[in-house]
Amino acid sequence: MVRSLVLLAAFSLLIIPSVYGKELKLAVVPKFNSVFFDQSKAGCIDAAAQIKGVECIYRGPDISNVRMQDQVINQLIDEGIDGIAVAVTQSKYLVQNSLKRAKEAGIPIITYDSDIDASINEDPNSLRLAYIGTDNFELGKSLGEELKKLRPNGGTLIMQSGRPDSPNLNLRLMGVRSALSGKKYNEPPGELLNNDLGWTEVREPFFNFDQLAQSVNQMESVMKGKPVKADSFIAVGGWPQNDQALYRKMIAPYQAKINNNKVIIIITDTSSEQLTMLEDHLVHINIGQAPYEMGRQAILTLYKIVTDQKYDKTIYTPITFCTPENVDTCTKTKVSGL
């Protein structure tokens, strides 16, 4: 059904010829290759297949490393790419290097999933032409609001993030803190909770630097209650569950703590593997993004820019709320319009 809607919605693009008969090569560059970003690859390929004369080039580093991502972008520039959508790993480095070079070469740049941090570039619109992805602050708020439903009287919290300099993740941290504290913060990631409306963060967030084994080890320390103890855990990305076998092995000894709500676990993203773990009650809630739609809209937006059509400068993709009770239907959302 969803695939039919995509084909129908994209039909109008088929009648628009490529620019001056040129075959267009449009790139989607993830932070790194992963279960999450592989879904944006599928969206990229499907969208390009529906537009005559357009090819999706999906290329990213194997690990989260800004210099490796910068090298990928420079390679694409050297190959004569016609447009680039990038999930920004580290704003300052990319802006000073490959993204600056792409702009000077006249190659349109958009961002997806992770935007350019405005603090290092007064006007992000001067470099990138559009952002496609989650409203990260609202996603963070949703994570916090769902925790409040399960712990209405407050509690102790440990959060997990990827990198301390990731603008999208810092917005999520701030969203969680805003939901739990009721405060408005001047800038992300907000402030450590300290008995704010009954909520306290017992330590700074764990940063796993997109290392899956490390993320699982960090979460295990929360489940053990050592070296610090907390009754709630929020991961603002899907890292601990991106290796299903590793997660299952780690979490198995703590099933009783989950069943009895001794530790509330809320994790971002809703891959098929994550939903099987949710169905098995190995996590309380997963709040998902739409990486397939991000990749699809990235190609459609780049195509509109290159062919001088009107385009949306901001496209927020939907989020989904998944629990063991609605796991069979929670991700069945329609794609957004063209």
Side-chain angles (χ1 to χ4, degrees):
M1 176 65 177
V2 170
R3 186 61 56 86
S4 297
L5 289 171
V6 172
L7 291 170
L8 180 62
F11 176 76
S12 60
L13 290 176
L14 293 171
I15 63 174
I16 302 173
S18 56
V19 180
Y20 308 117
K22 176 185 175 183
E23 295 293 314
L24 296 175
K25 295 182 182 294
L26 305 177
V28 170
V29 180
K31 287 185 177 181
F32 62 108
N33 296 318
S34 68
V35 171
F36 177 85
F37 284 113
D38 282 351
Q39 296 172 72
S40 69
K41 176 181 180 180
C44 167
I45 291 171
D46 284 355
Q50 294 155 14
I51 311 173
K52 184 178 180 181
V54 172
E55 180 182 358
C56 159
I57 306 295
Y58 179 88
R59 191 182 303 169
D62 290 332
I63 61 173
S64 180
N65 181 294
V66 67
R67 285 174 173 79
M68 293 175 67
Q69 189 181 42
D70 191 66
Q71 290 174 4
V72 169
I73 296 170
N74 276 316
Q75 287 173 355
L76 292 165
I77 295 170
D78 291 339
E79 293 169 12
I81 202 74
D82 295 295
I84 299 172
V86 57
V88 177
T89 298
Q90 188 186 66
S91 298
K92 185 176 181 179
Y93 190 89
L94 293 181
V95 166
Q96 292 177 344
N97 292 280
S98 59
L99 295 187
K100 178 182 178 182
R101 184 178 171 224
K103 180 182 179 181
E104 290 173 347
I107 299 170
I109 303 161
I110 66 173
T111 56
Y112 85 103
D113 176 65
S114 181
D115 201 3
I116 294 170
D117 189 345
S119 67
I120 60 94
N121 184 32
E122 292 185 4
D123 182 12
N125 292 315
S126 69
L127 185 62
R128 64 101 169 116
L129 300 176
Y131 166 73
I132 299 164
T134 305
D135 184 331
N136 288 291
F137 177 75
E138 290 300 323
L139 172 59
K141 281 185 66 177
S142 297
L143 293 165
E145 293 295 342
E146 292 303 309
L147 178 57
K148 284 165 60 177
K149 293 177 184 178
L150 294 172
R151 289 219 185 282
N153 297 320
T156 50
L157 172 66
I158 294 177
M159 289 198 282
Q160 183 183 74
S161 186
R163 298 177 56 95
D165 54 2
S166 288
N168 61 329
L169 302 179
N170 283 338
L171 282 167
R172 295 177 197 179
L173 293 175
M174 185 170 70
V176 173
R177 289 166 173 162
S178 294
L180 296 179
S181 70
K183 295 180 178 179
K184 292 183 178 180
Y185 301 100
N186 292 328
E187 61 183 29
E191 299 171 1
L192 206 67
L193 299 171
N194 184 17
N195 196 27
D196 293 297
L197 298 182
W199 285 100
T200 296
E201 286 177 83
V202 298
R203 55 154 291 148
E204 294 282 346
F206 284 122
F207 293 104
N208 57 57
F209 293 88
D210 296 314
Q211 303 301 310
L212 304 188
Q214 184 175 349
S215 73
V216 172
N217 290 337
Q218 291 170 345
M219 183 177 174
E220 185 174 22
S221 73
V222 179
M223 302 309 296
K224 285 181 178 178
K226 297 178 182 179
V228 291
K229 187 175 182 179
D231 60 28
S232 305
F233 174 79
I234 290 178
V236 299
W239 309 278
Q241 294 186 313
N242 280 351
D243 185 325
Q244 182 173 185
L246 195 60
Y247 182 86
R248 285 182 178 274
K249 181 179 179 180
M250 179 276 291
I251 206 71
Y254 309 106
Q255 186 67 67
K257 282 190 173 183
I258 299 173
N259 295 343
N260 297 327
N261 290 351
K262 294 293 185 182
V263 180
I264 299 296
I265 303 170
I266 300 178
I267 297 179
T268 305
D269 296 333
T270 53
S271 69
S272 58
E273 292 85 358
Q274 287 177 282
L275 294 182
T276 64
M277 290 180 267
L278 178 64
E279 190 172 21
D280 291 339
H281 295 268
L282 301 179
V283 58
H284 290 90
I285 297 172
N286 284 98
I287 297 183
Q289 304 178 79
Y292 174 90
E293 184 68 357
M294 293 180 200
R296 191 179 80 89
Q297 290 288 355
I299 291 298
L300 298 179
T301 300
L302 283 172
Y303 181 72
K304 289 175 182 178
I305 292 170
V306 173
T307 55
D308 294 321
Q309 300 179 59
K310 290 183 179 179
Y311 66 95
D312 294 323
K313 293 185 177 181
T314 301
I315 299 176
Y316 286 135
T317 51
I319 61 174
T320 53
F321 296 80
C322 295
T323 67
E325 291 71 35
N326 73 354
V327 68
D328 292 332
T329 59
C330 62
T331 60
K332 305 298 190 296
T333 57
K334 295 182 178 180
V335 299
S336 56
L338 297 173

